[in-house]
Amino acid sequence: MIKKILVLLVILATIATASLAKNVTLTIATVNNPDMKIMESLSSQFTKETGIKLSWVILPENELRQKITEDVALGAGKFDIVTIGIIEVKNWVNYGWITPLDPFFTDMDTTAKKAYDLDDVLQSVREGLSAKGQLYALPFYGETSITYYRKDLFEKAGLTMPKEPSWNQILDFATKLHDPDNGFYGLCLRGLPGWGENMAVFGTMINAFGGRWYDMDWNAQFDTPEMKNAFEFYNTLIKEVSEPGATGVGFTEGLTLMAQGKAGIWYDASVGAGLLNDPSQSKVVGKLGYARAPYAKKHNNGWLWSWSLAMESASKHKKEAFKFLTWVTSKDYINLVGETKSWVNAPSGSRKSTYENPKYQKVADFAPLVLSAMRAVDYNHPSILPTPYIGTPFVVFPEWPHLGSEVAQQLAATIAGKKTIDEALKACQKIANEVAEEGGYKQ
Amino acid sequence: MNENKKKGILVLPAVILVALATQIPLIITVYNSMIRWIIVRPDLSKKFIGSQYYKKIFTSDEFWLVFQNTMVLTVISLAACLALGTLLAFLLHRQFTGVGIVRTLLISPFFLMDSVIGVFWRNVMLNPSFGLLYYFYKFFSLTPPDMLAEAPLFFIIILVIWKWTPFFMLVLLAGLQSIPEEVLEAAVVDGANAWNKTIYVILPMVMKYITISLLLGLIFILKTFGLVFTTTRGGPGFASTNFPYYVYRIAFLGWNVGKSSAIAVVIIIISLAIILVLFKLLRKTITEVEV
Amino acid sequence: MKKTSSAIVTVITFIIAIIYFFPIFWMIISGFKHEIDVVNLTFPFTLTLENFKTIFSGKVSHYFMNSIYITLVSTSLSMMLGVPVSYALVMSKFKRGDDLFFWFISTTLLPPVGIVIPVYIIFKCLNMLDTYCGLILMYTAVNIPLVIWMMRSFFKDIPRELIEASKIDGATELTTFFRIILPLSRHGLSATILLVIVFIWNEFFFALHLTYTRAATLPVHVAAYMTQEGLFWAKMCAISTVAILPPLLAGWINQKQLVRGLTMGAVKG
């Protein structure tokens, strides 16, 4: 008799908790790019399967970062899931703002764990999203920087792009293709001032030219010849062979230019490949070739960036949040995007299996190059010289948005002709030293 | 009901709400300006540091450049808006068919969101590679200027003028329309010609409206933020950073609450000083001006 | 002679208006183009409704209704709280009236970006983040000074004789207010209401920081269409067109009132 009552109670309790679960709404903060928009539209599937509802806050990158940082740092804790990058993971772990995911993985039952296949997630990305030995976020997609070029125009001009070109070669090729009178530019490069905009590209150049931001004693290194070389070469590229109005050109503008067929070479994020091969948005489908990020003194300069999903420690629905995290970063989800939208738009740069999928390989001729580039990134050793910080191409510390934006502005001032390179270097040196001192890094 | 009670009922609700919503944050901001608090470094404890940030601000080159930018932006925009607004007000003060349509067309820019104005003008209109500017210049076989880099402050000034002239136009139009016809006719009968008519008859009567539009315009243009944010990001360097954007830069990129609060306090004091001076000036030099 | 010069001036006026309005026209048209055509200036281009379809398949109506609700309530509250103050400042003897007036104006000098962090923390403590109430309170408080300023000017314009006459007729202050003062200043009221509506409708900064999902307004949603990693110019133009419609409509309706001008010819005429 008692046994029956107990069973009944258990059943009732299960029903109760299940229905409670059905009333959970997760608040998600994410960035407004096409992949995330697809995620939002497909998430009704998730709600159908699990009964968990989703509430979205979608914003441009800058505003999103501010809103999320505000939410975690000032303690409102209203987001369950936040979309962040590698840099936030590394910085925020120290303050306990996001929750480690390992305990949740341990709690997963064996079939679910196998289906998720954490090992399938690219190792470089997994390491980027881990700190203190634990995984803190799951990658939605990953990217690196690659060199896009117009295969057709290269052939016509008798040029060959090597698998990993040097910056000098890029300058050379671009000079040969540069035709500004006809609205065609040899090279398209970001110039928009911003720590995640021009500094993403320029940061890789600093590394490529053998420079670094700080030495092991946290002294700023803007007074070194390597840094000066990087500044000068960047100026040469922009002023001689690139698009006009570079200070207004970020990723989207660069993509627009390349998609309109106005540039011969474009060095930027690998996620552009999908868009450049979409006939509804691009005029250069089938005309593109791909190469690795350029080198100078150092090789393997592609950056590593991943928009990833993490759980706020303040979330009251961690189990449900974890369910969504694993759903949207699973192989099944990638398949879902591939089948319902298109394979060229499938989120990439996160899992090996995507690149091994023949359907993806068919539409993504850039896939092998991007995969090798992502695998080659060494996030922990950005420079050939020793550094007290990690990060390609950023300096991973909480002061990065400040340092990055200020240096970005100085760089933009040089290409706008408002400052000489020496003046800008001096200003950057001052700022970087101040940041190191005020942050307590420099003793 | 006794006089004081009546005044109290009329005035107190507004005073209380405004005080709560604006003065409390202000007091907190003043306090914040004297502590070291960096939001993304909770490991660095909040420390009271007095006027350190104020000293830093006044001795930095950037602050004075930002101050200059703000003054240039404000003065030029106000002058241009006033001039253009006056011209348009005169044009609209006449009777002609379609005056309503013209008025609607002219006031539309004022209703647009700052961020939309910024993004749209920067990319679709003035981008030197694929904006309208590019095609316009290509038509004449010239290369378009890179406004964003070469004249960023000017770029923003143009947008401010485009957005705010309709406001000036409307206020001044109301002013013109408040002049009774008899006054104008009397002036004509007196033999006054058009110029004299303008200076001695029309001007004093619309002075009040000019003052209102100038003061309101001043207050709002000083606070210009969205236009800077979506176009030049205050750059290159600090070339187009104005006061509010400077606060933003330190508060939301540097996450430095202390320093940004100090800058905010300085800005408020400077704005207050400007308004005070203007109030007194207008009252002294022009008789019968009521603000 | 006068007729031709007048006609010429009219034509010039039209031309100026068209040039001035042109960017907005361009923006509206761009909302109907394909993305690829917006930056390519192809001529002729095909019109399409796909951008609007994309917008309306999203949650735009939620944000739109939020904006309408918040704007209407905040504007009404600003007027209801601000107009009495203007009345008191003008009609009653107020020893420190000028100081009070100046204090109100000084609150408008606060840049939102300067006080948003304290406000955010206060709201967080009071559980007012992402609530209609919170945003409405902020908007009302920030716009009351504007209402006071403008209505004070309009109230001052009302000839004293009219008010005296009404008093002599035995009317109470309340009756005088509703029968004489309010009707005479209705143009000023419309102008003020329009101004406040436009400012609240387009306000972005507080909306961004103080709301999340429930109370977010249209400007925040419009931001979601900007700087995507993909071509978005046409979609942004489309949603901006949607966003500008209510203020534009309010302005168009209102300016018919403004036309009548602020003539106080009742006594003189």
Side-chain angles (χ1 to χ4, degrees):
Chain A
M1 183 64 196
I2 297 183
K3 248 201 193 164
K4 282 198 184 142
I5 295 179
L6 279 174
V7 167
L8 191 65
L9 278 174
V10 167
I11 293 178
L12 282 173
T14 323
I15 296 178
T17 31
S19 57
L20 270 178
K22 279 198 190 313
N23 287 329
V24 169
T25 305
L26 295 172
T27 310
I28 307 183
T30 186
V31 76
N32 65 347
N33 58 35
D35 290 294
M36 305 304 188
K37 291 254 162 126
I38 294 179
M39 165 166 68
E40 188 198 8
S41 64
L42 290 177
S43 61
S44 49
Q45 187 98 350
F46 176 75
T47 309
K48 240 191 285 172
E49 286 174 25
T50 60
I52 301 172
K53 297 209 199 85
L54 302 163
S55 193
W56 298 84
V57 172
I58 302 184
L59 289 168
E61 200 173 315
N62 283 318
E63 284 85 344
L64 181 78
R65 285 218 170 82
Q66 278 147 33
K67 200 124 177 76
I68 295 180
T69 309
E70 215 170 48
D71 193 65
V72 291
L74 294 176
K78 277 176 164 287
F79 290 123
D80 294 295
I81 299 176
V82 290
T83 307
I84 54 179
I86 297 181
I87 188 170
E88 281 96 0
V89 172
K90 303 279 191 196
N91 285 329
W92 292 0
V93 164
N94 294 323
Y95 310 129
W97 289 339
I98 48 181
T99 305
L101 300 176
D102 290 15
F104 294 92
F105 272 108
T106 329
D107 280 345
M108 263 178 126
D109 65 66
T110 16
T111 28
K113 226 195 278 195
K114 224 169 138 209
Y116 188 76
D117 195 2
L118 190 55
D119 287 322
D120 183 40
V121 175
L122 291 175
Q123 189 173 8
S124 51
V125 175
R126 244 185 306 143
E127 277 173 10
L129 299 175
S130 306
K132 300 187 182 164
Q134 297 207 68
L135 184 65
Y136 279 84
L138 292 174
F140 185 64
Y141 71 75
E143 65 175 46
T144 180
S145 52
I146 60 175
T147 309
Y148 300 85
Y149 66 98
R150 289 284 298 277
K151 230 175 13 187
D152 54 331
L153 299 176
F154 264 60
E155 264 176 48
K156 236 180 32 184
L159 305 169
T160 331
M161 174 72 85
K163 185 143 169 244
E164 191 189 16
S166 73
W167 275 111
N168 280 325
Q169 281 173 311
I170 298 283
L171 177 61
D172 184 46
F173 294 146
T175 315
K176 297 201 167 101
L177 296 172
H178 195 51
D179 188 8
D181 293 330
N182 285 319
F184 186 83
Y185 314 106
L187 173 66
C188 177
L189 212 56
R190 287 191 201 179
L192 185 68
W195 66 258
E197 277 115 0
N198 66 345
M199 286 322 287
V201 166
F202 188 66
T204 66
M205 283 181 79
I206 293 177
N207 294 335
F209 278 76
R212 54 183 174 172
W213 290 72
Y214 294 100
D215 67 12
M216 290 305 286
D217 295 319
W218 285 97
N219 294 313
Q221 298 292 295
F222 284 88
D223 51 357
T224 57
E226 291 88 1
M227 194 58 97
K228 188 161 180 194
N229 283 340
F231 266 74
E232 282 174 348
F233 202 82
Y234 179 79
N235 264 267
T236 311
L237 287 174
I238 295 276
K239 290 183 179 148
E240 292 181 18
V241 296
S242 301
E243 78 280 9
T247 50
V249 173
F251 174 81
T252 315
E253 292 78 7
L255 175 68
T256 307
L257 276 171
M258 198 64 182
Q260 302 309 303
K262 288 185 180 245
I265 305 175
W266 185 40
Y267 170 58
D268 212 308
S270 56
V271 286
L275 297 157
L276 285 174
N277 281 297
D278 180 352
S280 73
Q281 306 208 52
S282 163
K283 289 181 158 179
V284 296
V285 182
K287 298 189 183 158
L288 293 171
Y290 313 91
R292 300 277 294 273
Y295 74 93
K297 275 192 178 173
K298 174 178 181 291
H299 291 265
N300 283 333
N301 294 307
W303 70 57
L304 182 67
W305 176 256
S306 164
W307 274 120
S308 318
L309 299 165
M311 264 195 275
E312 270 197 27
S313 301
S315 166
K316 300 191 178 70
H317 308 291
K318 295 209 176 80
K319 285 219 174 82
E320 290 81 1
F322 185 71
K323 269 214 180 103
F324 183 73
L325 286 185
T326 45
W327 178 81
V328 84
T329 56
S330 66
K331 294 187 205 176
D332 288 331
Y333 176 79
I334 297 180
N335 271 329
L336 187 62
V337 176
E339 299 298 335
T340 52
K341 304 284 173 178
S342 80
W343 273 102
V344 80
N345 283 324
S348 61
S350 52
R351 285 173 170 279
K352 259 185 291 174
S353 52
T354 318
Y355 293 94
E356 289 158 4
N357 188 322
K359 290 190 182 158
Y360 184 70
Q361 285 170 346
K362 211 168 50 161
V363 294
D365 53 341
F366 46 85
L369 180 93
V370 173
L371 183 63
S372 68
M374 290 200 66
R375 283 197 157 131
V377 176
D378 188 354
Y379 204 71
N380 295 324
H381 301 102
S383 166
I384 46 182
L385 300 164
T387 55
Y389 59 88
I390 62 174
T392 51
F394 308 136
V395 175
V396 175
F397 63 165
E399 287 79 357
W400 170 251
H402 177 58
L403 176 65
S405 332
E406 294 304 318
V407 172
Q409 289 288 8
Q410 298 298 327
L411 184 68
T414 59
I415 61 176
K418 297 239 178 266
K419 276 197 174 176
T420 64
I421 292 185
D422 286 316
E423 285 170 343
L425 285 171
K426 234 173 100 181
C428 291
Q429 180 78 357
K430 182 158 168 268
I431 297 169
N433 275 327
E434 262 172 19
V435 170
E437 279 165 28
E438 284 172 13
Y441 302 100
K442 187 146 66 162
Q443 301 309 327
Chain B
M1 193 190 303
N2 89 48
E3 193 64 19
N4 279 332
K5 222 180 179 188
K6 180 185 75 174
K7 274 193 272 181
I9 293 181
L10 290 175
V11 167
L12 269 177
V15 170
I16 293 176
L17 179 60
V18 173
L20 280 178
T22 61
Q23 306 300 286
I24 294 187
L26 177 62
I27 295 173
I28 297 180
T29 301
V30 172
Y31 173 70
N32 280 342
S33 71
M34 299 188 285
I35 61 172
R36 177 198 68 183
W37 176 16
I38 304 193
I39 290 183
V40 287
R41 290 295 302 273
D43 55 317
L44 288 179
S45 52
K46 295 191 202 176
K47 201 169 60 165
F48 186 82
I49 56 171
S51 59
Q52 229 184 73
Y53 284 128
Y54 290 98
K55 278 194 217 119
K56 270 201 188 150
I57 292 170
F58 285 115
T59 54
S60 71
D61 293 323
E62 343 167 310
F63 175 75
W64 297 108
L65 178 59
V66 170
F67 183 77
Q68 183 186 305
N69 288 340
T70 311
M71 292 301 117
V72 167
L73 169 73
T74 310
V75 170
I76 296 185
S77 308
L78 283 178
C81 283
L82 191 60
L84 203 52
T86 313
L87 171 67
L88 291 175
F90 270 111
L91 284 179
L92 286 186
H93 186 45
R94 310 161 50 243
Q95 304 279 32
F96 57 88
T97 37
V99 64
I101 300 178
V102 172
R103 218 182 354 249
T104 313
L105 290 180
L106 284 172
I107 59 173
S108 322
F110 190 63
F111 299 137
L112 277 177
M113 269 177 240
D114 275 5
S115 36
V116 168
I117 296 180
V119 174
F120 182 74
W121 275 79
R122 190 186 100 200
N123 290 299
V124 184
M125 298 284 295
L126 296 179
N127 184 297
S129 311
F130 54 78
L132 271 186
L133 187 76
Y134 166 72
Y135 292 102
F136 185 71
Y137 270 77
K138 199 165 97 151
F139 189 70
F140 298 105
S141 307
L142 298 166
T143 37
D146 179 5
M147 289 206 60
L148 218 55
E150 292 167 30
L153 197 59
F154 184 59
F155 188 109
I156 295 175
I157 291 177
I158 291 185
L159 296 183
V160 172
I161 295 176
W162 185 67
K163 175 179 170 139
W164 282 94
T165 300
F167 172 74
F168 279 75
M169 175 191 83
L170 276 180
V171 175
L172 294 168
L173 182 61
L176 282 178
Q177 289 177 330
S178 72
I179 302 176
E181 273 306 307
E182 313 97 60
V183 175
L184 285 173
E185 282 170 27
V188 170
V189 162
D190 275 354
N193 63 25
W195 185 243
N196 281 340
K197 198 162 69 163
T198 315
I199 297 279
Y200 293 109
V201 178
I202 298 182
L203 204 58
M205 300 188 85
V206 293
M207 198 37 118
K208 176 173 70 172
Y209 295 86
I210 295 182
T211 346
I212 288 187
S213 57
L214 268 179
L215 282 170
L216 270 176
L218 171 71
I219 291 181
F220 285 109
I221 294 181
L222 270 177
K223 294 198 281 190
T224 302
F225 173 76
L227 289 174
V228 180
F229 180 74
T230 50
T231 53
T232 64
R233 306 278 180 86
F238 278 84
S240 59
T241 302
N242 66 348
F243 277 146
Y245 195 77
Y246 189 38
V247 176
Y248 169 81
R249 241 166 125 144
I250 309 289
F252 289 98
L253 288 170
W255 292 106
N256 188 334
V257 179
K259 191 166 177 203
S260 59
S261 300
I263 298 172
V265 171
V266 170
I267 293 176
I268 293 169
I269 295 180
I270 293 180
S271 314
L272 258 173
I274 296 178
I275 293 279
L276 252 168
V277 164
L278 261 165
F279 256 58
K280 297 241 162 92
L281 205 69
L282 285 167
R283 286 223 171 121
K284 243 201 288 177
T285 54
I286 305 164
T287 51
E288 281 190 359
V289 167
E290 291 178 3
V291 167
Chain C
M1 266 324 288
K2 210 148 199 234
K3 275 219 177 131
T4 36
S5 69
S6 166
I8 292 179
V9 174
T10 306
V11 170
I12 293 182
T13 312
F14 265 97
I15 294 182
I16 293 181
I18 291 177
I19 294 180
Y20 207 80
F21 184 74
F22 179 72
I24 299 184
F25 167 74
W26 194 247
M27 180 187 86
I28 296 178
I29 277 262
S30 299
F32 290 97
K33 292 188 190 177
H34 291 279
E35 289 287 0
I36 255 190
D37 294 331
V38 174
V39 291
N40 254 342
L41 217 63
T42 40
F43 214 53
F45 51 85
T46 41
L47 288 175
T48 168
L49 283 177
E50 69 184 13
N51 298 311
F52 287 94
K53 280 209 202 108
T54 315
I55 293 174
F56 285 106
S57 66
K59 305 247 306 285
V60 69
S61 48
H62 169 73
Y63 298 95
F64 194 86
M65 292 316 294
N66 278 353
S67 274
I68 298 235
Y69 176 68
I70 291 177
T71 305
L72 285 179
V73 176
S74 308
T75 309
S76 315
L77 279 177
S78 306
M79 295 303 287
M80 287 196 293
L81 290 175
V83 167
V85 179
S86 319
Y87 178 81
L89 283 175
V90 173
M91 302 295 171
S92 319
K93 292 195 202 26
F94 228 112
K95 226 191 293 179
R96 305 249 293 284
D98 273 355
D99 289 342
L100 184 65
F101 179 57
F102 192 76
W103 174 75
F104 271 113
I105 294 188
S106 73
T107 64
T108 62
L109 295 170
L110 292 174
V113 70
I115 58 171
V116 75
I117 290 185
V119 173
Y120 182 89
I121 296 178
I122 293 175
F123 270 38
K124 173 192 86 135
C125 295
L126 296 175
N127 260 328
M128 276 166 65
L129 282 176
D130 204 20
T131 57
Y132 293 106
C133 197
L135 211 54
I136 288 175
L137 279 174
M138 268 329 277
Y139 285 162
T140 307
V142 162
N143 283 293
I144 283 178
L146 181 64
V147 171
I148 294 177
W149 191 344
M150 296 201 63
M151 289 317 297
R152 181 173 168 275
S153 303
F154 295 121
F155 282 162
K156 272 197 172 175
D157 273 348
I158 297 177
R160 282 293 184 165
E161 303 94 65
L162 283 175
I163 301 173
E164 299 300 326
S166 171
K167 280 211 184 118
I168 290 174
D169 277 352
T172 62
E173 203 163 354
L174 214 59
T175 325
T176 314
F177 181 72
F178 281 104
R179 287 257 175 87
I180 309 279
I181 298 181
L182 225 43
L184 278 180
S185 52
R186 69 184 181 282
H187 308 294
L189 278 169
S190 324
T192 309
I193 291 176
L194 175 65
L195 207 58
V196 173
I197 284 181
V198 171
F199 284 145
I200 298 179
W201 182 264
N202 287 334
E203 203 283 332
F204 176 68
F205 204 73
F206 280 132
L208 174 68
H209 286 271
L210 300 177
T211 67
Y212 284 70
T213 52
R214 250 178 311 146
T217 56
L218 197 55
V220 178
H221 186 58
V222 171
Y225 284 85
M226 301 198 189
T227 58
Q228 269 180 221
E229 287 165 18
L231 296 183
F232 68 96
W233 319 111
K235 289 189 264 292
M236 185 196 75
C237 291
I239 191 150
S240 307
T241 307
V242 170
I244 197 186
L245 280 178
L248 207 57
L249 210 65
W252 190 79
I253 294 175
N254 177 283
Q255 48 123 3
K256 277 183 165 174
Q257 298 257 45
L258 265 154
V259 168
R260 306 267 201 73
L262 302 154
T263 51
M264 298 293 151
V267 166
K268 300 176 187 157

